Amino acid sequence: MIYEIFVRSFRDSNGDGIGDLNGISQSVDYLKEIGCSYVWITPIFASPSFHGYDISDFLSVNPCFGTIDDFNNMVQTLHRNGIRVILDIPLNHTSSQHEWFQKALLGDDVCKSRYVWANSSTNIEEVRPWDNVPVWHSSLQGYYHGTFGGSMPDLDYSNSFVLEYMLDVMKFWVKRGADGFRFDAAKHIFEYDHQKNIDFWRNVSECLKAVNPDLMLIGEVWDHPEVVKSYSQAIGYCFSFDLASLIKEAILKGDPQILLGAISRNSLTHSVLFLTNHDASRLATQMKDERLRKLAFQILFTLPGVPCLYYGEELGMKGEYSPFFTEHVIEPFPWYEALHGKGQTMWKAVMYNTGFSGVSVEENRKRENSLFWRIKSLARFRKLNGWIQNALVENYRCEGPLLIYDIHGARKISVIHNFSDSPISCQESAVGPWSTLVIAADEHIVFSD
Ligand code: ACG
């Protein structure tokens, strides 16, 4: 299981209220307790912003998070405990504070050639198709392209220097122990040209795998499943946004039929399966009933592919996403019910996950039947059944509110999920409300309240 950590909010080691790399090292026992095999850490590189997706230096650690030695120490600590590290890297753009762009603004032609500039035929009124936000931004040197705003100018990968530089950047981090990358905004490298992007990522993947064939490479391609599938074959893995929305929709509507199509059209063995991330409203805000959230994770952990947990999902953290206030879904991780204690981050005022609201690690640990405990038992199940990741889903079907399928790989199991609030009998067994029954050759495993 992959655990997404928003570094700034996770654990603070030096008392400045900001999460840091030494804080992640000091959290290794918690990471082992929840059973993760990978941590995906959001960008750690030098950046002027709170979110870190606009990089001003790809070869240095954001001083808020620590030093390169702290990075080395974190990697070694996690590796010693069987946890590998996936770095989130936005190759599509740099920060406007990056040295290259600052020089470009002063007229340096070499640096200008590393970015995308308007020409006489450019429609500078162009907007993003999904929300009509303008993508061309004016400067003393003319209009430049920035899909994610003027503070994040897009790099021009038709300039071979740019790719060579970024490959060296990634090899730099791999040599220091990074076990993989999350490629941010992977479909925007060559805007609207999926085939060029796929060729680009196939080349990146081959170059990196030549350094370390075991790297875990994941593309963030927020698009329809048939588009995502073509990227995942070039990169290795992609997040399944399709399943993320349909698992929640099927459970909220109590209708497993909604999921049948998604199981067939997503190449699961090349998918990272998740429910939410730092770009979406928190799961406990989308699905208030903890019993439904348990079923969502029971599905996530009993399908092929790699399950991914967003930090705080296991605790029931809340937060409403807004493109203007993305901070509501990246609030400080609540270690303590009083939201105060060793390692507690407090870089921003807390609006949703306040003290004594039941979401802290302290409070969840005390609630034996909480989602927190369910996720730990599901993660243990997946660790004992690693073969599921590359297995096939067969005979998937619905019988009333039951979703039933076989997972066939090195071993074979049948899985039955109950999408209703009433117990239902199936194959001489009773499946409780919102529960999951796993039938293996030698045992029945039940995930139920
Ligand atoms: C990544 C990171 C995000 C980061 C950036 C920029 C990119 O996760 O945290 O923001 O470095 C688009 C991009 C994604 C991008 C998101 C935020 N995420 O493709 O790479 O925006 C549609 C579009 C998608 C679009 C999505 C946004 O197709 O391309 O994502 O809308 O909502 C169905 C459809 C699907 C559709 C969805 C939703 O699923 O199939 O196509 O997606 O419905 O409608 C960083 C910071 C932010 C800051 C930003 C500027 O983290 O805080 O605001 O930079």
Side-chain angles (χ1 to χ4, degrees), residues 83 123 147 164 182 185 313 347:
I83 298 171
N123 165 23
T147 302
E164 290 317 309
R182 173 213 184 245
E313 266 177 346
W347 63 279

Side-chain angles (χ1 to χ4, degrees), residues 53 93 148 182 184-185 187-188 220 222 224 278-279 326:
Y53 279 91
H93 47 267
F148 300 101
R182 173 213 184 245
D184 179 69
K187 74 175 190 178
H188 298 283
E220 187 234 1
W222 196 341
H224 300 293
H278 60 278
D279 288 335
T326 58

Side-chain angles (χ1 to χ4, degrees), residues 21-235:
L21 302 185
N22 287 334
I24 293 175
S25 302
Q26 291 165 11
S27 309
V28 70
D29 289 342
Y30 179 78
L31 297 173
K32 283 168 69 179
E33 178 186 357
I34 59 172
C36 73
S37 305
Y38 287 93
V39 287
W40 149 26
I41 54 178
T42 55
I44 60 165
F45 316 106
S47 165
S49 72
F50 71 88
H51 54 71
Y53 279 91
D54 47 337
I55 312 297
S56 51
D57 181 357
F58 286 88
L59 292 171
S60 72
V61 174
N62 187 328
C64 290
F65 300 147
T67 66
I68 191 80
D69 288 341
D70 297 331
F71 175 82
N72 295 335
N73 176 51
M74 176 191 73
V75 167
Q76 288 156 24
T77 303
L78 292 175
H79 283 179
R80 268 200 313 275
N81 287 275
I83 298 171
R84 290 188 273 180
V85 180
I86 295 170
L87 294 183
D88 197 334
I89 189 161
L91 296 179
N92 175 66
H93 47 267
T94 70
S95 163
S96 53
Q97 301 307 313
H98 193 286
E99 177 193 17
W100 291 357
F101 195 70
Q102 288 299 306
K103 285 183 175 174
L105 291 180
L106 295 175
D108 179 314
D109 286 332
V110 171
C111 288
K112 273 189 79 173
S113 72
R114 297 170 186 167
Y115 294 93
V116 182
W117 299 88
N119 55 40
S120 53
S121 60
T122 301
N123 165 23
I124 54 169
E125 305 299 320
E126 182 193 349
V127 295
R128 294 187 314 202
W130 68 88
D131 62 4
N132 299 320
V133 167
V135 294
W136 291 98
H137 312 283
S138 67
S139 78
L140 293 175
Q141 296 298 325
Y143 280 88
Y144 62 92
H145 197 272
T147 302
F148 300 101
S151 66
M152 301 163 90
D154 290 352
L155 288 166
D156 183 355
Y157 281 91
S158 61
N159 177 341
S160 58
F161 171 85
V162 178
L163 175 57
E164 290 317 309
Y165 180 86
M166 289 302 177
L167 285 171
D168 287 344
V169 163
M170 289 185 279
K171 290 172 187 173
F172 171 89
W173 293 105
V174 168
K175 287 194 177 86
R176 277 157 186 74
D179 302 291
F181 293 99
R182 173 213 184 245
F183 296 127
D184 179 69
K187 74 175 190 178
H188 298 283
I189 299 292
F190 296 99
E191 208 58 79
Y192 313 121
D193 189 332
H194 288 314
Q195 194 50 58
K196 273 183 91 170
N197 289 328
I198 289 161
D199 295 342
F200 171 86
W201 288 117
R202 184 173 290 107
N203 177 40
V204 168
S205 174
E206 286 166 1
C207 292
L208 293 177
K209 296 256 181 161
V211 177
N212 175 353
D214 298 327
L215 288 177
M216 176 77 158
L217 304 177
I218 311 170
E220 187 234 1
V221 180
W222 196 341
D223 215 305
H224 300 293
E226 61 281 1
V227 171
V228 176
K229 186 181 258 185
S230 54
Y231 281 79
S232 61
Q233 272 133 24
I235 297 172

Side-chain angles (χ1 to χ4, degrees), residues 242-252 258-259 273-275 287 295-297 299-300 303 419:
D242 186 41
L243 270 164
S245 55
L246 292 180
I247 287 173
K248 291 175 284 190
E249 183 187 345
I251 292 173
L252 287 168
I258 293 171
L259 261 185
L273 304 186
F274 71 106
L275 297 167
M287 299 177 94
L295 178 58
F297 282 105
I299 296 169
L300 218 61
L303 281 173
F419 277 61

